[in-house]
Amino acid sequence: MDRSGAWPSAFCYRVLWALNLKSLKYEYLEEDLANKTDLLLQYNPVYKKVPVLVHGGKPISESLVILEYIEETWPQNPLLPQDPYDRAMARFWAKFGDDKDSEEPSFMAIFIIVGEEQEKAAKEAKEQLKILEEQALGEKKFFCGNRIGLTDIALGWIAGWLDVIEEAAGLNLLEAESFLRLHAWIQRFKEVPGIKEQLPDRHEMLIYYKQKREMFIAS
Amino acid sequence: MQDRPQIEGGMEKESEVVLLGTWSGGYCTRIELALKLKGIPYEYVEEDLSNKSHSLIHHNPVHKKVPVLLHNGKAIAESLVILEYIDEHWNHDPKLLPDDPYERAKVRFWANFCDQKFQPSAHNIMITKGEEQEKAIENFWEVLKVFEEEGLERDFPTKSPFRNGDTLGYLDIVVGSIACNFEAFNEAVAEVLNLQKNPAFYSWVTAMKDCSLMKETLPPHDRLVAKIKSIFSLHPSN
């Protein structure tokens, strides 16, 4: 089984985490998105994007579609609850914050916005985080309940990426005092075996996002 | 015979299935099709999106949109999430999604494509004029071409008119609820879907449109033409 990814895409990490949580073996192929391989174009002709999971020669694209495929093909350590209503909620929240077009959750676009627009975007972002904390997470340990699940994986960008984006953009969205539960979740998430060993290097990410921000501002 | 309880104020009977929707909303049509296919009785409540009811805001506080399915007092939003819920909770035949995980991945992928590429490109035609509209139409045709070549030909090579064997399935419902309104769209805006340009897609859509279930569930043609025209005319010319 191969996985094509592009560092540090949060969507690619979703798939890596799911594979790790199910103790699955895989081969990882890094794609240079500025110079896409024939393999990627063959496996994802519609969007030409990562992540792509290839299993038994058959390609699957779109991170959330891949997660459902993994869940259905390898039922051990289930990532979705049994009850249909709980599953519906898990899926609803998993999609929250995803932008249809970009390589990252729409949230992350905030790091390239400046000035007055940034203030507005920051306010909206905080509201979205509030909704996630109060309605999606509530008093639970994980978004999916007592154990880590599909929603936690899908929202993993909050744990690994958000604070880097904030630093790169000079923002403080997820204030510790205002988001106690989300902060607690982030700590828990990062400690889960399968996630812990597979988090992108923070220092390198910061360099990457700072550079990206500078490029956007310059243009 | 008991009176049906009112919906306002959270007085729904616990076992009722209620759909909050709008008559012209394609995403709402999806849910009605699914419920009817499964033989699930439901109550339909028409929402006025310019004047949202307490019920809608209460049950979909996050997005405040339709469709919302209420079942056993619990609310589910997002049409694709609702469809999977219906298939899982009422898991008798006909199944909406295929059994095989890889086939399921394919229909989910193309359902997303419908919502992320197909529907927005059609919507763009509706809200533009002149040269901008011509570009929008070109873009729409490119999207259809991808749908035909990568979707219909590569991922779903089948002799059946539908993507799920002999009955309407998940992908038919997802695409048909939007695309089967093409005649109203052609009349109100511009003729963009025709047999010559996109024969495979056109044949699929007309086959779905010919189903009695689809016919009785789609919004009425003339009313829809009038509505599309009113949206179209709201946008200023270039």
Side-chain angles (χ1 to χ4, degrees):
Chain A
M1 175 162 55
D2 300 328
R3 260 215 8 89
S4 305
W7 194 90
S9 158
F11 288 167
C12 292
Y13 272 83
R14 287 174 172 175
V15 181
L16 292 173
W17 291 329
L19 294 169
N20 290 347
L21 287 169
K22 295 208 180 242
S23 309
L24 296 168
K25 288 200 170 48
Y26 57 90
E27 189 185 323
Y28 177 81
L29 300 172
E30 180 73 27
E31 281 283 333
D32 173 3
L33 294 179
N35 194 12
K36 295 174 183 176
T37 62
D38 287 334
L39 208 61
L40 177 62
L41 298 176
Q42 178 199 336
Y43 282 144
N44 188 359
V46 176
Y47 296 114
K48 306 178 179 56
K49 282 185 184 175
V50 289
V52 177
L53 182 79
V54 185
H55 180 219
K58 297 194 260 193
I60 303 130
S61 311
E62 301 225 321
S63 62
L64 295 182
V65 176
I66 297 172
L67 290 186
E68 298 257 12
Y69 175 82
I70 290 172
E71 174 69 358
E72 287 166 0
T73 308
W74 295 281
Q76 71 268 27
N77 293 343
L79 300 172
L80 279 173
Q82 289 291 345
D83 174 72
Y85 177 74
D86 295 335
R87 290 163 77 90
M89 290 302 101
R91 289 174 172 136
F92 176 87
W93 291 113
K95 287 163 86 147
F96 190 84
D98 272 8
D99 186 304
K100 302 154 183 198
D101 290 321
S102 80
E103 320 266 272
E104 335 251 22
S106 65
F107 218 92
M108 313 248 281
I110 198 171
F111 83 102
I112 59 170
I113 305 172
V114 287
E116 223 178 80
E117 287 233 354
Q118 195 190 55
E119 249 183 72
K120 183 161 167 271
K123 186 163 172 279
E124 278 171 26
K126 280 194 202 173
E127 280 164 16
Q128 299 233 296
L129 289 170
K130 240 323 143 192
I131 290 174
L132 277 174
E133 188 183 65
E134 289 175 0
Q135 297 185 37
L137 183 63
E139 301 300 328
K140 304 194 297 273
K141 273 175 74 175
F142 292 100
F143 284 95
C144 279
N146 278 328
R147 310 165 26 126
I148 192 172
L150 187 134
T151 315
D152 302 276
I153 293 173
L155 296 174
W157 53 268
I158 298 175
W161 279 251
L162 185 56
D163 74 313
V164 175
I165 302 297
E166 287 174 315
E167 194 176 325
L171 291 166
N172 185 12
L173 300 172
L174 199 68
E175 294 144 349
E177 325 79 54
S178 318
F179 292 98
L180 291 171
R181 284 170 287 180
L182 267 182
H183 272 278
W185 172 78
I186 289 173
Q187 294 318 309
R188 252 176 251 130
F189 181 83
K190 285 178 162 179
E191 284 301 308
V192 175
I195 309 288
K196 189 161 65 176
E197 316 82 10
Q198 196 95 54
L199 286 165
D201 181 274
R202 193 188 189 280
H203 178 71
E204 281 184 40
M205 273 221 286
L206 190 56
I207 297 173
Y208 173 85
Y209 282 112
K210 273 190 169 159
Q211 265 176 7
K212 224 173 157 180
R213 179 171 164 87
E214 262 147 50
M215 267 167 49
F216 269 107
I217 295 174
S219 63
Chain B
M1 186 87 145
Q2 278 181 340
D3 280 349
R4 295 206 99 169
Q6 291 304 304
I7 296 302
E8 288 296 328
M11 296 294 287
E12 305 91 341
K13 244 167 59 191
E14 288 294 301
S15 59
E16 258 184 14
V17 177
V18 181
L19 174 62
L20 309 182
T22 54
W23 66 269
S24 60
Y27 299 141
C28 304
T29 307
R30 288 175 179 174
I31 312 307
E32 292 205 83
L33 289 169
L35 291 170
K36 287 181 183 181
L37 271 168
K38 293 268 191 185
I40 302 162
Y42 65 96
E43 180 172 331
Y44 174 80
V45 175
E46 177 73 22
E47 286 287 334
D48 175 1
L49 295 182
S50 63
N51 187 16
K52 294 178 182 179
S53 67
H54 292 305
S55 182
L56 177 61
I57 297 174
H58 172 70
H59 289 300
N60 188 4
V62 176
H63 300 303
K64 304 181 183 61
K65 284 185 183 174
V66 289
V68 177
L69 188 77
L70 304 178
H71 180 224
N72 291 338
K74 298 194 224 176
I76 302 142
E78 295 288 297
S79 64
L80 300 185
V81 174
I82 299 172
L83 288 179
E84 298 232 17
Y85 174 80
I86 290 173
D87 209 29
E88 287 179 351
H89 184 87
W90 290 280
N91 58 3
H92 55 257
D93 284 346
K95 297 276 168 59
L96 300 179
L97 282 102
D99 286 325
D100 175 73
Y102 190 65
E103 296 299 314
R104 290 164 78 89
K106 282 198 250 177
V107 299
R108 284 172 176 143
F109 176 89
W110 288 105
N112 288 343
F113 182 87
C114 176
D115 286 357
Q116 288 161 28
K117 295 289 174 201
F118 175 70
Q119 196 275 343
S121 66
H123 187 78
N124 260 354
I125 300 172
M126 196 163 69
I127 60 173
T128 49
K129 287 186 167 69
E131 213 181 279
E132 229 189 295
Q133 192 188 59
E134 276 169 36
K135 282 204 199 121
I137 295 175
E138 284 296 329
N139 179 254
F140 176 75
W141 283 334
E142 274 162 33
V143 168
L144 274 191
K145 191 154 168 276
V146 171
F147 218 148
E148 284 186 319
E149 289 174 5
E150 304 300 341
L152 300 180
E153 275 171 54
R154 189 190 63 149
D155 278 352
F156 304 105
T158 168
K159 301 255 186 309
S160 160
F162 312 125
R163 307 276 78 82
N164 194 45
D166 298 323
T167 54
L168 293 176
Y170 176 80
L171 192 59
D172 304 292
I173 291 172
V174 167
V175 175
S177 57
I178 311 290
C180 288
N181 293 318
F182 75 91
E183 274 175 3
F185 193 92
N186 282 356
E187 190 179 318
V189 184
E191 192 183 309
V192 292
L193 183 62
N194 59 59
L195 184 62
Q196 292 74 38
K197 197 109 185 131
N198 300 98
F201 193 83
Y202 186 85
S203 309
W204 179 31
V205 172
T206 40
M208 288 194 282
K209 206 170 144 68
D210 281 340
C211 283
S212 53
L213 181 63
M214 194 61 91
K215 278 190 211 172
E216 77 183 43
T217 314
L218 286 172
H221 175 89
D222 291 338
R223 221 179 142 195
L224 189 60
V225 169
K227 172 144 181 126
I228 295 175
K229 277 185 173 165
S230 74
I231 298 174
F232 186 47
S233 68
L234 278 176
H235 291 266
S237 330
N238 287 350

